[in-house]
Amino acid sequence: MRRLIAQTTKSLITNATTTSRLNLPHQPSSHYYNNNISRLARFLTSLPSNTSMASDKSTPPLTVDSINPKVLKCEYAVRGEIVSLAQNLQQDLQANPGSHPFEEILYCNIGNPQSLGQQPITFFREVLALCDHPSILDKSETQGLFSADSIERAWQILDQIPGSATGAYSHSQGVKGLRDTIAAGIEARDGFPADPNDIFLTDGASPGVHMMMQLLIRSENDGIFCPIPQYPLYSASIALHGGTLVPYYLDEATGWGLEISELKKQLETARQKGITVRALAVINPGNPTGQVLAEENQREIVEFCKKEGLVLLADEVYQENVYVPEKQFHSFKKVARSMGYGDKDIPLVSFQSVSKGYYGECGKRGGYMEVTGFSPEVREQIYKVASVNLCSNISGQILASLVMSPPKVGDESYESYFAEKDGILQSLARRAKILEDGLNKLEGVTCNKAEGAMYLFPRIRLPNKAIKEAESLKKAPDAYYAARLLNATGIVVVPGSGFGQVPGTWHFRCTILPQEEKIPAIVSRLTEFHQKFMDEFRD
C-alpha cells in the first residue's frame, strides 16, 4: 500500500510540474497544473483514514532477515534447544503430575550450583547482608546474629564504597578498596606483585571476555585461537564481534591435552587463509573437558604466545575446582613471571568469577579481569569501554573481594568457612568420580578423568542406525541422543556439537552439580536409558 501511494503521488506531481514547464500553445500552463493538483487532492482524500504513508503492516520494521547477521551467526548451546524442551517438560509436569516417566527435571546442563541445592558460604552472605543493610550494624542484636569478623569486614567495605551505599555507582573499574583487596589476594596466591590498577571488576567473567573481543577484533580477518571443545561463550562472542574462531583441538586420547604442535599447525593454516590470529584463549581447568594443565605445558603456551605475538586470554574461573592430588592450579600470570617475563613482555588477561569454585554465586554476577602487558594508550581504551557500562554491580564486586580474601586462621568465621568450603569441594570430587565410573561402564562410552572444573565430557559411539535416524530429522546425532535422554529420564545434558568436537565424534557435557544423594539415581536412569537406546538402534 505504501509503495502504491508513493508511486501515484509522484506521478501526479510530476505531470503537474512537467506540464507547467512545457507552456503548451493555446492553453495556459496554470490550467494543466491546477487540473493535476486537483486530481492529486482527490486521490489523497479518497484514501481510508487509517492509511499511513509511514508504515506498511505487511512489512514490519524488523525481521529475522533484517537483523544484524552477526546475531544470527551467534549460538549458545548451554541454553539452547534442549533446555527449551526441558522447560516445556517442567511446565507440563507441574500442570499434569505423573504425565511423564520421571518426577522432576534434573538440570545437568549448566554450572549453576545453587539452583541444584548448593548452599552459599555463610561468611560471604553475612558480609553482603550487612553491607546492603548497614543500619543494623549498630544494633546490639547484630552481635548475636553475625560473626565478629563479618561485622568488621562489612565496616571496612562500607568505608571504601562511595556514600557507604551498595546502591551507588562506583569507579568504572570497580571500588578502589575492593580492587586493593583482590590484588593482595592475587599476590598471596601467586607470590608475585599485583597492581589494583590492573583489575577491572565485571558482572561475572563473561563481560570481560566480550570487552577483550571488542578490543581485539577489527574484522572477519582477525582470528582468536579457541580450544575445541570450548565453552560457547567464546564462539558466541567472536561471532557477535565479527571475528573468526581459529580452532585448536584438544587431544582426548591424552586426557584433553593441549599440544603445541597443534597450535603451530592451526596458526599456519589460518595465516594461509589471510587471517591474523590476535589472541589465544585457554580455559584452565577446562570447560567442558575438566582437565587441569600441567605447569610445564603452561610454560610452553606462554612461550608460544611470546614468540608469535599473541595476547594470552586465561580463563581461570575454575581455579578452586581441582579434585586430583597429582594436579594443582597455577595461574598463567604466575607461570609467566616465574619464566622471567615481566609486565611489558607479554600481554596477558586473566579472568575470574564468583560463579564457580566452591562459592557458586552465579546470580550475584561478580568477577574480574586482571589486565597486564598493555601500553598505557591501549589501557586507556579498555577503560573507555568499561566506562560505557558505568560499573559492575556492587554486590558482585564485594563478593569478588571476599572470594580473594576469605577468613583466615584465627578469625571467628574461619572454622565454619573452611568446613563449608572443604565439604563442598570434597563432595564435588566424590560426585565426579561416581559419574565418571558410571559413564565408563556404558556400552560404547568412554569418559576421561574429571581432574577439575564442574563437568564430564564423555564420548559416545552411536550405532549407525541412530546416526542415520538423527540425520533424517536434521539433528546432530549427539543432540538427538540428548533429546531422547531428556524425554525418557528428565536428565538435561548439552550435546557435544554445541562445544565443538573432532568431526565424526560425538559427546555430551554433564555437570557434577546435582546433590550427592541424587547422583546414584542419575547414573541408574542414564544406564537404563542407554541400554534401551543401544538395543533399539543396534546395527
Side-chain angles (χ1 to χ4, degrees):
M1 174 63 77
R2 183 172 57 187
R3 184 177 298 172
L4 173 62
I5 295 170
Q7 288 175 344
T8 304
T9 303
K10 180 180 178 183
S11 175
L12 289 170
I13 292 173
T14 301
N15 289 340
T17 55
T18 302
T19 305
S20 177
R21 288 196 303 270
L22 287 175
N23 195 17
L24 295 173
H26 312 301
Q27 294 287 347
S29 60
S30 60
H31 170 79
Y32 289 92
Y33 180 84
N34 292 334
N35 185 44
N36 280 298
I37 290 299
S38 296
R39 290 172 63 196
L40 173 60
R42 288 196 301 274
F43 170 73
L44 292 175
T45 55
S46 70
L47 295 174
S49 59
N50 62 349
T51 302
S52 169
M53 290 285 289
S55 64
D56 186 343
K57 292 181 181 179
S58 65
T59 55
L62 190 65
T63 68
V64 172
D65 292 329
S66 66
I67 66 173
N68 187 337
K70 295 172 187 175
V71 175
L72 292 174
K73 188 177 179 182
C74 165
E75 293 184 357
Y76 190 67
V78 174
R79 291 179 181 261
E81 181 183 352
I82 295 293
V83 180
S84 297
L85 176 59
Q87 291 167 343
N88 291 335
L89 286 172
Q90 186 168 22
Q91 291 174 1
D92 195 29
L93 280 172
Q94 292 169 347
N96 305 290
S99 57
H100 295 279
F102 45 85
E103 296 180 354
E104 64 176 331
I105 301 296
L106 290 167
Y107 287 96
C108 300
N109 61 297
I110 193 168
N112 193 12
Q114 291 186 27
S115 74
L116 293 170
Q118 181 175 307
Q119 295 302 300
I121 299 298
T122 303
F123 175 77
F124 294 170
R125 285 302 184 88
E126 286 189 354
V127 175
L128 278 180
L130 292 166
C131 287
D132 277 337
H133 196 29
S135 62
I136 66 173
L137 279 165
D138 290 323
K139 295 185 180 296
S140 57
E141 305 97 292
T142 302
Q143 308 296 324
L145 294 171
F146 294 84
S147 63
D149 52 339
S150 68
I151 294 172
E152 181 183 359
R153 185 72 69 92
W155 277 119
Q156 291 173 357
I157 290 171
L158 287 169
D159 285 343
Q160 297 165 348
I161 297 174
S164 298
T166 57
Y169 286 136
S170 74
H171 186 281
S172 291
Q173 283 184 239
V175 174
K176 175 60 165 60
L178 300 179
R179 287 186 282 126
D180 289 338
T181 300
I182 291 169
I186 293 171
E187 190 167 326
R189 181 196 68 192
D190 293 344
F192 292 94
D195 185 346
N197 292 317
D198 292 337
I199 306 296
F200 287 75
L201 286 160
T202 52
D203 290 323
S206 300
V209 172
H210 281 292
M211 207 179 301
M212 293 312 301
M213 296 306 172
Q214 282 181 302
L215 187 81
L216 290 163
I217 295 171
R218 299 163 297 185
S219 73
E220 62 184 7
N221 293 324
D222 284 332
I224 307 294
F225 256 140
C226 285
I228 299 296
Q230 53 95 30
Y231 177 45
L233 165 66
Y234 290 93
S235 56
S237 183
I238 292 167
L240 281 173
H241 296 292
T244 296
L245 186 150
V246 179
Y248 64 90
Y249 289 90
L250 303 177
D251 186 0
E252 187 169 10
T254 60
W256 301 111
L258 194 166
E259 303 293 336
I260 300 299
S261 59
E262 169 70 5
L263 290 176
K264 291 178 178 177
K265 181 180 77 173
Q266 297 295 348
L267 180 62
E268 181 61 27
T269 299
R271 286 174 173 169
Q272 289 175 356
K273 294 177 180 177
I275 296 170
T276 301
V277 182
R278 310 212 66 200
L280 169 67
V282 182
I283 308 173
N284 180 48
N287 175 10
T289 44
Q291 85 284 9
V292 178
L293 292 176
E295 187 174 6
E296 181 56 38
N297 195 190
Q298 290 181 265
R299 289 174 175 270
E300 294 173 340
I301 294 165
V302 169
E303 201 62 61
F304 176 80
C305 288
K306 172 65 176 173
K307 179 182 177 183
E308 300 297 343
L310 303 178
V311 176
L312 178 52
L313 304 175
D315 184 332
E316 300 176 337
V317 303
Y318 297 99
Q319 57 189 261
E320 297 281 0
N321 300 101
V322 179
Y323 308 125
V324 291
E326 65 270 22
K327 291 287 185 72
Q328 67 181 99
F329 170 78
H330 300 282
S331 76
F332 269 100
K333 182 187 170 190
K334 173 186 174 181
V335 171
R337 297 294 177 266
S338 69
M339 295 170 67
Y341 292 129
D343 277 355
K344 298 180 180 179
D345 295 322
I346 182 169
L348 168 64
V349 184
S350 307
F351 303 100
Q352 167 65 317
S353 170
V354 306
S355 300
K356 309 305 176 185
Y358 56 90
Y359 13 92
E361 295 279 10
C362 302
K364 297 298 183 182
R365 307 312 299 135
Y368 68 80
M369 62 178 183
E370 184 184 18
V371 178
T372 59
F374 293 91
S375 70
E377 294 79 14
V378 172
R379 284 284 298 274
E380 186 178 335
Q381 298 304 310
I382 298 173
Y383 177 74
K384 180 176 70 177
V385 173
S387 299
V388 171
N389 295 318
L390 298 177
C391 70
S392 59
N393 81 88
I394 302 300
S395 294
Q397 292 189 33
I398 293 170
L399 268 171
S401 75
L402 296 174
V403 161
M404 296 307 292
S405 182
K408 296 177 176 57
V409 176
D411 293 342
E412 182 183 329
S413 296
Y414 176 75
E415 288 189 8
S416 62
Y417 157 77
F418 182 81
E420 290 172 353
K421 171 186 174 180
D422 194 53
I424 290 169
L425 291 175
Q426 286 197 22
S427 176
L428 287 172
R430 289 193 297 270
R431 287 178 249 179
K433 179 62 176 170
I434 294 169
L435 279 169
E436 175 195 324
D437 288 346
L439 288 165
N440 278 317
K441 290 177 182 177
L442 301 180
E443 180 186 356
V445 176
T446 53
C447 183
N448 279 329
K449 192 172 189 177
E451 297 178 337
M454 295 178 170
Y455 316 100
L456 294 168
F457 198 66
R459 180 177 178 180
I460 48 176
R461 294 164 178 81
L462 298 171
N464 287 330
K465 288 182 181 178
I467 294 172
K468 290 178 180 178
E469 177 67 17
E471 290 172 346
S472 72
L473 298 171
K474 297 183 179 180
K475 290 183 178 291
D478 47 13
Y480 176 67
Y481 180 91
R484 289 285 300 267
L485 173 66
L486 171 60
N487 283 315
T489 67
I491 298 171
V492 189
V493 298
V494 188
S497 46
F499 300 90
Q501 53 200 343
V502 172
T505 66
W506 311 109
H507 301 77
F508 63 81
R509 189 187 79 166
C510 178
T511 73
I512 61 173
L513 293 176
Q515 288 301 288
E516 190 168 352
E517 62 269 19
K518 292 186 177 181
I519 296 295
I522 290 174
V523 172
S524 177
R525 283 197 224 175
L526 181 56
T527 300
E528 182 181 357
F529 162 78
H530 185 79
Q531 184 62 54
K532 290 180 179 178
F533 183 90
M534 297 298 284
D535 287 343
E536 178 182 349
F537 292 102
R538 196 169 300 282
D539 294 326

